[in-house]
Amino acid sequence: MSSADQTGSTTTPTSSAGGTAIARAEVLVTSPDRNFVTLRLTTADGVVGLGDATLNGRELSVVSYLQDHVVPLLIGRDAHRIEDTWQFLYRSAYWRRGPVTMAAIAAVDVALWDIKAKLAGMPLYQLLGGASRNGLLAYGHASGRDLPELFDSIRKHREQGFRAIRVQTSVPGIDSVYGVAAQPSTGGRYDYEPAQRTALPAEEDWDTRAYLRHIPTVFEAVRSEFGPELPLLHDGHHRMTPIQAARLGKDLEPYDLFWLEDCTPAENQEALRLVRQHTTTPLAIGEVFNTVWDYQTLVREQLIDYVRGAVTHTGGITALRRIFDFAAQYQIKSGIHGPTDISPVGMAAALHLDLAIHNFGIQEYMQHGARTDETFRSTFTFVDGFLHPGDEPGLGVLYDDDVAARYPYQQAYLPFNRLKDGTVHDW
Ligand code: GCO
Ligand code: MG
C-alpha cells in the first residue's frame, strides 16, 4: 500500500493563480531503511515539488500537522509565493515555533523552491545567488568499540574519500554509547542508526565522568595514528553540564578539533558563556533547534562557531538562510545537520543552500542505505570528499511511488539514557 493511500491526498481545481496554482498536495510516508515523511506539491500545470518533513521518532505528528492543517490551506495558492506562504503558515497558526510546526513549514517551503527552480529551468542553488564554491567539504561518521575498530573505520572513510571525520567510541564502563555502530561497517558504509523499530524506546546507560576521562585518550591516539592534518569532529550529544563541557573542550585542545558538537543541552543559551570562557575548541550547536530565536544569544555573543540547523527542522531554505546570514555577521559558519533521518530531499535542499551561501563551513554526510537511494533518486554526488547538488532543474530528487509502496511505515523510537542510579539523563 502506498503511503499516499494511508494518509490521503487533496485535489481541488486551480484558482486565480492559473497554471502555477497548487492543485494537489500529498503527504507521503515510506520506510525503506527508516521512516521518511515527504510532502509532494503539484501545480495545475503539473510541475512537482518535494519537501522533507521527517522528524525522527515523531514522524506521524508532522503527517497529521500537514494533512489536517496545512494541506487544506495550500490548495489554490500560487506556488510562486514562497515568502508569503512561509509568513502565512508561521504567523496564521498563532502557535509559534516547535519541531512539528517548523518541519511542516520546511516541507512546504522546500517543495515550493523545488517548483520555482524547475519553472526557471535551473538548479535551485542558482536562484539562491549561484555557486559560491565548487564543492562542499563533507564529514563522515567513524566509530568503534575500541581503538583498532575505530582506526579501521577511519581508514575506510578515508578510502571512500572523506577529508573530515567525526570520531565516536565506546567508553569503558558504559554498555552502549551514542554514535557507535553496533558492528563494524561491512560494506564501508557507516551503519549506525539510533532510531530503532521497536514499540518502546531502548534504554541506554550513561556515566559522564567515565566519558570525560576516556575521550581525550581516544583523540590522542587518533592524532598519533593519523597525524595533525585530518579535520576531526566529535559529538557530545547534549550530555554535559557547562563546567563539564568546559573541561572536555580544554582537554581536547591539544588535538585540534574541527568542532565539538552539542556539548550541553543548549536551550539555555547563556550557559555557553561559561564553556566559551574556558576553551578555544570550536563549538557547533543547533540540530534540535527550529528558529532563529534559538540562536539569538549564541550568535550575537559569538558563543558558537558553527550553526547545525537542518533545512528540514528549521522551517526550510527561507528560514535557515536567514539564520546563516545572521551568523555570517559574527563570522559563524554553517554545518548543516545531515544524518540518515534527513531524507535525500532534505539533503539535496541542504546542498543547494550550502553551495550558495558565503559562510559555508562543512556538511555532515552520513550516507543513506540502498533502499532509500532507490526510493529517492537524487542527482547529488560525492567525489573526493566533496558533495555537489548536481545541475538538474530544481532540487534534483525524484520520488518513486512504486518503490516507496514496498516499505510501509514502522513505529520507531530514538533510545534514551539513564545514569547508573536510574535517573533519566539527556540523550
Ligand atoms: C548528528 C546527530 C544525529 C541525531 C539524530 C537524531 O550529529 O548527526 O546527533 O545522529 O542523533 O539525527 O534524530
Ligand atoms: Mg549531533
Side-chain angles (χ1 to χ4, degrees):
M1 180 176 64
S2 99
S3 40
D5 295 335
Q6 278 177 27
T7 54
S9 64
T10 309
T11 310
T12 64
T14 64
S15 73
S16 54
T20 58
I22 299 167
R24 187 171 164 86
E26 300 158 279
V27 184
L28 311 166
V29 183
T30 183
S31 194
D33 298 294
R34 58 167 348 285
N35 293 319
F36 293 111
V37 180
T38 308
L39 177 70
R40 180 166 58 197
L41 302 181
T42 309
T43 65
D45 282 346
V47 179
V48 171
L50 298 175
D52 179 24
T54 308
L55 185 62
N56 202 2
R58 295 292 186 273
E59 295 88 354
L60 298 186
S61 301
V62 190
V63 171
S64 158
Y65 193 98
L66 282 169
Q67 192 64 51
D68 299 335
H69 306 293
V70 174
V71 163
L73 307 178
L74 295 177
I75 304 303
R77 291 184 72 83
D78 187 352
H80 271 311
R81 298 184 63 170
I82 299 178
E83 179 69 27
D84 181 66
T85 302
W86 196 97
Q87 299 296 343
F88 169 67
L89 292 176
Y90 184 77
R91 292 173 200 283
S92 72
Y94 186 64
W95 310 107
R96 297 197 181 196
R97 308 163 67 177
V100 174
T101 302
M102 298 313 288
I105 294 177
V108 176
D109 183 77
V110 171
L112 293 180
W113 277 110
D114 191 15
I115 289 171
K116 193 184 277 294
K118 282 177 181 164
L119 287 169
M122 291 179 185
L124 174 53
Y125 69 81
Q126 295 291 12
L127 269 54
L128 302 175
S132 288
R133 58 197 52 79
N134 304 323
L136 308 164
L137 178 68
Y139 74 90
H141 288 200
S143 74
R145 287 167 296 189
D146 51 25
L147 286 179
E149 209 174 273
L150 173 65
F151 288 0
D152 191 43
S153 174
I154 294 174
R155 280 190 199 100
K156 277 185 185 145
H157 280 82
R158 296 187 84 191
E159 281 160 23
Q160 288 182 330
F162 280 104
R163 292 162 182 262
I165 295 182
R166 187 181 92 160
V167 168
Q168 307 292 137
T169 59
S170 294
V171 174
I174 305 180
D175 290 335
S176 64
V177 175
Y178 162 79
V180 179
Q183 287 165 16
S185 265
T186 41
R189 198 181 76 79
Y190 178 78
D191 56 7
Y192 174 72
E193 170 50 71
Q196 289 159 37
R197 298 173 180 220
T198 48
L200 292 169
E203 182 176 320
E204 298 185 343
D205 61 335
W206 183 247
D207 177 347
T208 309
R209 293 186 68 236
Y211 167 79
L212 290 177
R213 280 195 305 274
H214 186 64
I215 292 301
T217 70
V218 171
F219 278 90
E220 184 182 23
V222 171
R223 274 290 174 227
S224 64
E225 180 73 13
F226 294 95
E229 275 301 322
L230 182 65
L232 297 174
L233 302 83
H234 179 69
D235 191 346
H237 226 250
H238 329 270
R239 294 174 185 205
M240 288 165 272
T241 63
I243 201 70
Q244 290 167 338
R247 173 177 151 197
L248 183 64
K250 211 165 160 181
D251 289 351
L252 291 176
E253 280 171 22
Y255 314 115
D256 187 25
L257 263 61
F258 186 97
W259 78 34
L260 169 62
E261 178 188 346
D262 284 338
C263 58
T264 67
E267 296 104 306
N268 181 2
Q269 297 181 47
E270 287 77 9
L272 268 292
R273 289 177 188 149
L274 189 148
V275 184
R276 204 59 158 172
Q277 276 159 20
H278 290 283
T279 181
T280 56
T281 293
L283 303 175
I285 287 185
E287 70 179 41
V288 300
F289 289 172
N290 44 72
T291 70
V292 68
W293 303 105
D294 302 314
Y295 292 98
Q296 199 178 15
T297 304
L298 294 178
V299 168
R300 223 177 35 203
E301 297 187 19
Q302 285 181 288
L303 301 178
I304 57 172
D305 301 280
Y306 296 92
V307 163
R308 285 281 287 144
V311 174
T312 304
H313 300 136
T314 319
I317 287 170
T318 297
L320 188 55
R321 166 120 214 192
R322 291 201 172 115
I323 296 174
F324 288 149
D325 287 346
F326 171 43
Q329 310 314 313
Y330 299 85
Q331 293 174 287
I332 296 169
K333 295 189 174 186
S334 74
I336 297 185
H337 193 210
T340 44
D341 46 284
I342 300 295
S343 86
V345 175
M347 192 66 180
L351 301 185
H352 285 280
L353 185 55
D354 282 337
L355 201 64
I357 58 174
H358 176 252
N359 56 331
F360 170 77
I362 199 166
Q363 172 64 52
E364 181 179 22
Y365 183 41
M366 213 169 141
Q367 298 175 290
H368 290 108
R371 292 191 293 194
T372 299
D373 288 340
E374 206 194 340
T375 311
F376 298 87
R377 292 203 303 276
S378 47
T379 55
F380 63 78
T381 51
F382 178 62
V383 180
D384 266 346
F386 291 94
L387 287 157
H388 192 283
D391 282 306
E392 286 294 310
L395 281 173
V397 186
L398 275 176
Y399 187 86
D400 188 320
D401 289 279
D402 295 331
V403 178
R406 281 191 239 141
Y407 308 115
Y409 169 79
Q410 268 180 271
Q411 177 112 34
Y413 276 106
L414 288 163
F416 78 106
N417 262 326
R418 285 189 193 276
L419 303 179
K420 299 289 183 197
D421 70 356
T423 308
V424 172
H425 190 63
D426 295 298
W427 187 79

